[in-house]
Amino acid sequence: MTAAAATRDRAGPALAGLLVVTGVTHFVVPHFYDAVVPAVLPGGPRVWVLASGGAELACAALIANRRTRGLGATLAMVLFVVVFPANVKMAIDWSHQGPVKAAIGLLRLPLQLPLAYWALRVRRRAIASPA
């Protein structure tokens, strides 16, 4: 196996691991995420925080299984796009809370792009070499 192939083989499990960590934090410290849920969404923020955390954990489980990795990566890519408005809200809200928080809020915005690309790469690899 080439070094590039070994890296691609680790990309799926690494993405699953990231989604497990972020998904669990939605349940462990939901108050952190409550504040970034856009007010235009129906229901309370906690519902959306728990739902998105559950979605991240479901994507992680699908990606962890080689047979469902392509589906999980596709859903993760969609999730990264769907949660972007929360990152925009965070950037706006944090823009007036000091330079460090303002910078964190702004830097999170472009982060969704490499995450979506990572999921796309995992999806393509899963389709190219099914379990």
Side-chain angles (χ1 to χ4, degrees), residues 76-125:
M77 189 172 42
V78 169
L79 183 63
F80 293 140
V81 172
V82 168
V83 300
F84 187 73
N87 291 343
V88 171
K89 182 178 184 320
M90 179 185 207
I92 292 168
D93 291 349
W94 285 21
S95 67
H96 306 293
Q97 296 185 18
V100 172
K101 278 195 167 185
I104 291 170
L106 284 175
L107 291 173
R108 279 194 57 149
L109 294 176
L111 180 61
Q112 295 306 111
L113 203 57
L115 288 173
Y117 180 69
W118 184 5
L120 177 63
R121 282 186 25 234
V122 169
R123 178 184 182 275
R124 286 180 179 160
R125 176 70 176 162

